[in-house]
Amino acid sequence: MTKERNLTLLTDLYELTMMQGYFKNKNANVDVVFDAFYRKNPDGNGYAICCGLEQVIDYIKNLRFEKDDIDYLRSVGIFEEDFLEYLADFRFCGDIYAIPEGRVMFPREPVLKVKAPIMQAQLVETAILNIINHQSLIATKASRVVHAAEGDGVMEFGLRRAQGPDAGIYGARAAVIAGCVGTSNVLAGKLFNVPVMGTHAHSWIMSFPDELTAFREYARIYPDQCILLADTYDTLKSGVPNAIKVFTEMREQGIKLKNYGIRLDSGDLAYLSKKAKAMFIEAGFPDVTIAASNDLDENLISSLKLQGATINSWGVGTNLITSKDSPSFGGVYKLSAIQDPETGKYIPKIKISENSEKITNPGDKVIYRVYEKQSGKIFADLIALEEESYDEHEDLLLFDPVETWKKTLMKAGEYEIEPLMIPVFIGGKCVYNQRPTVMELQKICREDTDRLWDEAKRLVNPHHVHVDLSRPLWDLKQKLLDEYHGV
């Protein structure tokens, strides 16, 4: 259902007006390089999680203008017939390189690179940013929540608060990739083959004559997955005692208690969970699950942990699925090189701004990830020109591209280096054939975040991993800046 949609018109109008302009100026087939990247980690985080490539692949594969698309564009009144005729046979024939899904990424480095005729590269901008920005945002938020939970299971419960069906479906996908153990979203469970989870609502309790009867009936139907909502009336005077009574009855009937416990959805979660846990221990249920929901996020979970809350399962909804305190990712898409039709060489391009962070890195670029060999941790990412190569058997000098006096010399044998971007499309054909499942991507994400230093995973004021420019790229950037200013 979600994979076969033609999203070709999921674009901003100016992409199409620029396409017609290129077409009319006879430079429609000039090859260019565009970089999709972002400038700042969301939530003040120390890293982001790359997510959404699977949907970008499906978008590119289905990129074509149907007859009714062309009829609609004709009705807009600004597109000429020769251009509309061109669109009838439009297909993407360029190259795309990208950071694989689930991998850690950092500001200013290309998340995705498009090398294609300028009309094609221009058209795909909006949809690529829409897909990558959203899923990377939710994956990054979920990674923070999972980190705060310190190994406890985190369930994604946000569908009813998501900004529409697609946000709920793909947000759930991103959250599971980033480490959530499952989702309440049944359609996402079906589409992506991920665990679906849930308990029951207060309405279940209220529909019975009393709470105990509601608990007993739920336990009868779901003895292996019996998490009872304990705060409909009075958590400590009614909910917990009735839950203990039901679990005691089940045990006396010879039912082996597997996944059993309570969920708290209101009140002082630290206080209530500690009191509830003491009551369960006294009743002989020390391994009880105490789940919590109620507008949780990573900061509240961290605080509850510090307060000694005995919660060991977390249902996180609104604040995760909307990334409420940081609701946009901020990815951009910028031209970095244009091919000289006579020589075939790429001419580097740079965008200059009064804001230094908006000055782009020119040229056709790649990313190398540098690991400290002894610890296996990520030391830095190095953005380099495509023609550069690096050998772990040689010394590597890294320097800050702004505060250039800050340098680190990594001796041969002290580091490992990994090309980070992979080819996804070559000549319009998808060459990325692995297409990992969501649960495989979760494993990739976990392994990658494990290679971050703990200091980079702090929720507040984290260490920021170095993103450096190679010396040839830095020199090229300075040369273009000097030329612009007539130096």
Side-chain angles (χ1 to χ4, degrees):
M1 183 187 96
T2 60
K3 289 187 176 181
E4 297 304 321
R5 291 186 300 176
N6 180 345
L7 299 177
T8 304
L9 291 189
L10 185 68
T11 190
D12 293 304
L13 179 63
Y14 82 166
E15 310 288 16
L16 291 164
T17 56
M18 283 189 287
M19 284 180 71
Q20 180 168 249
Y22 296 137
F23 180 80
K24 292 294 184 181
N25 280 283
K26 309 302 181 187
N27 60 351
N29 294 317
V30 173
D31 283 342
V32 296
V33 180
F34 273 91
D35 296 328
F37 62 96
Y38 70 102
R39 299 187 179 103
K40 190 167 96 173
N41 289 320
D43 283 310
N45 212 38
Y47 62 93
I49 302 295
C50 186
C51 203
L53 181 59
E54 179 80 9
Q55 283 65 53
V56 169
I57 291 171
D58 293 328
Y59 159 70
I60 296 293
K61 282 185 170 183
N62 288 286
L63 195 61
R64 62 189 180 278
F65 290 87
E66 306 285 3
K67 182 180 182 302
D68 61 339
D69 296 332
I70 293 173
D71 289 343
Y72 169 72
L73 293 177
R74 183 179 289 112
S75 74
V76 173
I78 58 175
F79 299 108
E80 299 182 17
E81 283 302 317
D82 56 349
F83 175 63
L84 295 174
E85 289 173 8
Y86 162 81
L87 294 182
D89 296 320
F90 180 91
R91 294 293 185 275
F92 183 81
C93 64
D95 305 340
I96 294 179
Y97 300 81
I99 297 175
E101 281 195 278
R103 298 299 302 268
V104 166
M105 61 181 180
F106 305 106
R108 300 182 300 281
E109 59 192 23
V111 177
L112 184 144
K113 176 174 72 175
V114 176
K115 299 178 71 172
I118 192 166
M119 293 176 70
Q120 299 179 28
Q122 195 75 70
L123 174 65
V124 299
E125 171 183 4
T126 304
I128 285 175
L129 290 178
N130 175 273
I131 294 166
I132 297 291
N133 277 341
H134 173 247
Q135 290 199 46
S136 297
L137 175 71
I138 304 305
T140 304
K141 183 67 171 182
S143 182
R144 285 172 60 84
V145 173
V146 168
H147 179 66
E150 298 178 356
D152 296 340
V154 175
M155 300 169 285
E156 185 281 307
F157 279 179
L159 178 58
R160 63 188 60 188
R161 302 287 175 78
Q163 282 101 340
D166 276 5
I169 292 166
Y170 293 111
R173 177 184 186 273
V176 174
I177 288 172
C180 288
V181 296
T183 175
S184 66
N185 186 330
V186 180
L187 182 54
K190 175 189 174 185
L191 291 172
F192 308 123
N193 194 26
V194 299
V196 289
M197 299 175 171
T199 57
H200 60 78
H202 293 106
S203 57
W204 172 269
I205 308 295
M206 296 163 66
S207 69
F208 288 86
D210 57 73
E211 185 178 59
L212 181 59
T213 302
F215 282 179
R216 281 174 172 156
E217 186 62 14
Y218 193 84
R220 184 185 68 80
I221 301 170
Y222 304 108
D224 295 336
Q225 298 290 328
C226 192
I227 305 295
L228 303 172
L229 185 54
D231 69 337
T232 304
Y233 302 121
D234 189 307
T235 300
L236 298 180
K237 292 182 180 180
S238 174
V240 174
N242 282 330
I244 290 172
K245 184 175 291 187
V246 169
F247 298 145
T248 301
E249 292 171 353
M250 293 172 71
R251 188 165 58 187
E252 289 172 349
Q253 294 166 17
I255 298 172
K256 184 174 176 60
L257 297 174
K258 296 178 182 178
N259 182 21
Y260 76 101
I262 61 170
R263 176 164 69 96
L264 303 174
D265 190 50
S266 61
D268 187 324
L269 297 178
Y271 172 79
L272 292 174
S273 68
K274 287 186 282 188
K275 287 292 186 180
K277 185 61 179 284
M279 293 166 70
F280 276 112
I281 291 173
E282 184 178 355
F285 298 100
D287 60 344
V288 66
T289 293
I290 299 181
S293 45
N294 190 29
D295 288 335
L296 297 172
D297 64 8
E298 68 274 31
N299 300 308
L300 182 51
I301 291 173
S302 181
S303 176
L304 288 167
K305 288 276 188 182
L306 288 172
Q307 295 171 62
T310 59
I311 299 160
N312 53 14
S313 180
W314 308 85
V316 187
T318 305
N319 293 320
L320 191 162
I321 204 67
T322 65
S323 188
K324 187 175 180 180
D325 51 359
S326 183
S328 64
F329 194 72
V332 296
Y333 186 84
K334 300 298 180 183
L335 179 70
S336 62
I338 185 165
Q339 192 176 48
D340 185 330
E342 294 184 4
T343 66
K345 294 182 178 180
Y346 280 94
I347 302 167
K349 295 289 183 176
I350 187 170
K351 176 186 179 294
I352 300 175
S353 172
E354 292 294 324
N355 300 326
S356 59
E357 70 274 9
K358 289 193 172 185
I359 299 174
T360 60
N361 292 317
D364 184 1
K365 299 175 292 298
V366 294
I367 311 166
Y368 291 98
R369 179 149 292 169
V370 182
Y371 300 93
E372 186 184 74
K373 197 166 189 178
Q374 184 176 10
S375 65
K377 300 293 187 181
I378 300 171
F379 182 80
D381 275 6
L382 179 66
I383 308 174
L385 294 171
E386 193 273 338
E387 63 266 22
E388 294 183 62
S389 61
Y390 290 87
D391 188 337
E392 296 172 358
H393 302 292
E394 298 177 355
D395 293 351
L396 177 65
L397 179 64
L398 299 172
F399 63 94
D400 187 286
V402 178
E403 298 172 314
T404 54
W405 62 90
K406 296 180 179 178
K407 295 182 173 71
T408 298
L409 179 64
M410 305 198 77
K411 293 286 189 179
E414 293 180 352
Y415 69 95
E416 296 174 340
I417 194 163
E418 173 196 17
L420 194 56
M421 303 183 81
I422 57 169
V424 181
F425 284 87
I426 299 295
K429 180 180 178 181
C430 184
V431 297
Y432 181 50
N433 298 318
Q434 294 97 323
R435 307 291 290 270
T437 67
V438 168
M439 300 313 293
E440 288 170 341
L441 290 170
Q442 185 186 82
K443 182 174 183 291
I444 289 169
C445 186
R446 181 172 61 251
E447 291 172 349
D448 226 33
T449 52
D450 283 347
R451 300 194 78 171
L452 286 165
W453 295 95
D454 288 342
E455 292 83 352
K457 293 186 277 189
R458 284 194 299 256
L459 297 179
V460 179
N461 193 29
H463 164 73
H464 291 284
V465 174
H466 306 291
V467 179
D468 297 329
L469 305 184
S470 70
R471 185 57 189 257
L473 175 55
W474 189 88
D475 286 343
L476 172 63
K477 186 174 184 177
Q478 299 309 308
K479 176 176 177 289
L480 293 178
L481 290 171
D482 288 344
E483 286 176 354
Y484 176 79
H485 291 290
V487 177

